[in-house]
Amino acid sequence: MRRRQFHKLDAVWLFGILVLLAAQFWFPDTGAGLSTDTWSNTARGKRAFYLLAAQQSGNIRRNHDSLESLIGQIEWDYDWGIAEPVLCILGPTRNPSDQEWNRLLDWVSYGGRLVYATAAGSVPYVIPQLAISTVEKKSGELSPESSIVEMPDVATELFSSDEEYAWREEWEIAGEQIEPLLSYSGSVQVARRYWGDGTVVVISGDSIFTNQYLAFEQNSLLAWRIIEAAGGDGELIIDEYLNDSGTPKMVQILIQMPIRPMTLMLIAVICLYFWKQSHRFGPFLPESTVARRNIVDHTDMMGNLLFLSREGSYSLKLYLRQLVQELGLKKHRGRERAVLEPIARRMNVPVEQLVQLFKDSALAARSENCDVKQSASYIQKLSRVRLAFSKPVDQAMRD
């Protein structure tokens, strides 16, 4: 059988696939994409701030889920006294809806940290729940009751003559019970308000976080001090969901991060398929019949994979999540002891011991060093709690 030669059409297919693979590492600026997100290298983009925050914090991530899903995930991951993260919404394409604001502020009231900056060049904006708004500049001097709260190592009263700082004056921040953190030419530009057990920092515009403004000498330090003003030393989350959901064009979404790699790979797979269909690569292979598997094989396979990986945190997290749902601890947030006291009496142990068990199990589930032996030990202890919860009182005491 004579081998088929490499045709010119094959070279075209191969060149196209190589271009798609190269686009994973470098993609030209089409000019139609969103230029203000943390992926953009343009003047209005915030990639420089993301890299700065990653260097300062070391624990940072972008969010592309809905705000309701994000808050639910945070409430699940940061139970039992773990430090709440700082959520940054910096110049979103669309403002949060009333329902999203209610969900955000409900989380803040339980100890959350929120930094919100309105988009540069936007119209005046009002946050009714906080009674904070951006308004036109009223006067050139701060009122006596609006004394500036000092931030370390940076100036908190800026003027147009300052050479070390650059600030684009947007609107003035006004509201009740706010603490001014930064002023420019006498108008409040950054303010903080305590909401329940948490903190909200509001900025009149997002220019300070852009690549262009971070090029100035002291602006990078000033931008980071504004983030630190929200408090907390845990994870830093930069929201991109409001940017993604505020972009109306479907094609534009497909070629923007983080969807772009999947789009390019899908196009590459389609090219490979049509390349293959253009002519046959070698002889046909005989069909093979794969034996059907059942749920037992699947369970054995998952168990073997978890054992070989030596990481027991995943199985422990699944068991702990199921137990928390059965006991209804999420529904009785803040009253967990009342739920655990009847179980503690059945087990004849102090309720503090059960509370500590759940705390230690949650920490181990989020730890990267939780081995199989440690995970099995916690699951065994949690199974006794589950048994005491499900059995009658007399039977649980006999066991």
Side-chain angles (χ1 to χ4, degrees), residues 112-367:
R113 317 287 179 175
L114 175 64
V115 178
Y116 184 82
T118 60
S122 62
V123 298
Y125 183 62
V126 180
I127 309 176
Q129 297 87 340
L130 294 175
I132 296 178
S133 60
T134 55
V135 297
E136 294 184 1
K137 186 176 179 180
K138 298 179 180 178
S139 63
E141 296 182 358
L142 293 174
S143 58
E145 64 273 9
S146 301
S147 58
I148 300 296
V149 178
E150 296 292 334
M151 291 186 292
D153 304 326
V154 293
T156 54
E157 297 186 40
L158 306 182
F159 301 92
S160 58
S161 58
D162 292 334
E163 297 181 356
E164 296 182 346
Y165 299 92
W167 187 273
R168 176 179 173 178
E169 184 178 13
E170 303 288 347
W171 307 97
E172 184 177 7
I173 296 179
E176 301 176 355
Q177 302 178 9
I178 62 173
E179 292 182 348
L181 300 179
L182 182 73
S183 68
Y184 182 83
S185 299
S187 64
V188 178
Q189 298 292 298
V190 182
R192 176 174 61 191
R193 178 170 181 183
Y194 296 102
W195 186 260
D197 294 334
T199 309
V200 179
V201 175
V202 181
I203 306 105
S204 64
D206 65 334
S207 300
I208 185 64
F209 303 105
T210 61
N211 300 328
Q212 178 183 5
Y213 277 75
L214 286 180
F216 285 84
E217 183 176 354
Q218 293 294 325
N219 273 21
S220 59
L221 179 60
L222 176 59
W224 184 246
R225 289 291 183 259
I226 293 175
I227 300 298
E228 288 182 332
D233 55 357
E235 183 182 18
L236 186 66
I237 303 175
I238 299 182
D239 179 69
E240 294 288 355
Y241 168 75
L242 295 177
N243 291 328
D244 299 339
S245 58
T247 306
K249 297 181 180 179
M250 179 59 66
V251 176
Q252 185 174 336
I253 295 176
L254 293 177
I255 63 174
Q256 294 300 312
M257 296 296 288
I259 308 298
R260 183 196 301 161
M262 293 182 288
T263 303
L264 294 176
M265 290 304 298
L266 179 60
I267 297 175
V269 170
I270 294 175
C271 289
L272 286 173
Y273 173 78
F274 283 105
W275 185 12
K276 182 179 183 300
Q277 295 300 319
S278 64
H279 59 78
R280 179 164 49 88
F281 290 97
F284 291 107
L285 297 177
E287 295 184 1
S288 59
T289 303
V290 181
R292 297 182 62 182
R293 302 293 182 180
N294 54 29
I295 190 63
V296 177
D297 294 333
H298 175 73
T299 305
D300 292 339
M301 180 189 67
M302 288 297 299
N304 291 332
L305 288 176
L306 291 175
F307 179 78
L308 293 176
S309 64
R310 300 297 179 183
E311 294 180 358
S313 58
Y314 181 74
S315 56
L316 175 58
K317 186 174 184 178
L318 291 178
Y319 192 93
L320 180 61
R321 179 182 301 176
Q322 179 67 27
L323 181 57
V324 169
Q325 291 178 352
E326 290 184 8
L327 298 181
L329 296 180
K330 281 291 183 180
K331 299 179 181 178
H332 301 83
R333 187 180 181 90
R335 296 183 288 111
E336 293 86 355
R337 291 176 58 90
V339 177
L340 296 177
E341 282 180 354
I343 302 176
R345 288 195 298 268
R346 292 182 181 182
M347 298 177 65
N348 197 22
V349 296
V351 68
E352 289 78 11
Q353 183 176 339
L354 294 186
V355 173
Q356 189 63 38
L357 173 60
F358 276 87
K359 289 184 177 180
D360 295 341
S361 301
L363 290 175
R366 287 187 290 269
S367 174

Side-chain angles (χ1 to χ4, degrees), residues 40-80:
S40 176
N41 292 320
T42 62
R44 296 180 59 199
K46 302 183 180 69
R47 180 173 175 80
F49 174 74
Y50 182 85
L51 297 176
L52 169 67
Q55 181 181 7
Q56 295 294 328
S57 175
N59 189 9
I60 182 175
R61 65 182 173 96
R62 298 178 176 93
N63 169 63
H64 295 278
D65 298 328
S66 66
L67 294 180
E68 290 83 356
S69 299
L70 173 64
I71 298 303
Q73 178 186 355
I74 292 175
E75 291 177 344
W76 166 254
D77 291 340
Y78 290 85
D79 278 343
W80 306 105

Side-chain angles (χ1 to χ4, degrees), residues 2-69:
R2 199 173 85 180
R3 299 179 60 186
R4 190 181 181 96
Q5 296 180 355
F6 192 79
H7 290 193
K8 293 182 179 180
L9 183 60
D10 297 332
V12 174
W13 284 113
L14 180 60
F15 177 76
I17 291 174
L18 292 177
V19 170
L20 290 172
L21 293 178
Q24 295 279 12
F25 305 96
W26 179 84
F27 194 84
D29 187 6
T30 60
L34 187 65
S35 61
T36 59
D37 57 18
T38 56
W39 303 97
S40 176
N41 292 320
T42 62
R44 296 180 59 199
K46 302 183 180 69
R47 180 173 175 80
F49 174 74
Y50 182 85
L51 297 176
L52 169 67
Q55 181 181 7
Q56 295 294 328
S57 175
N59 189 9
I60 182 175
R61 65 182 173 96
R62 298 178 176 93
N63 169 63
H64 295 278
D65 298 328
S66 66
L67 294 180
E68 290 83 356
S69 299

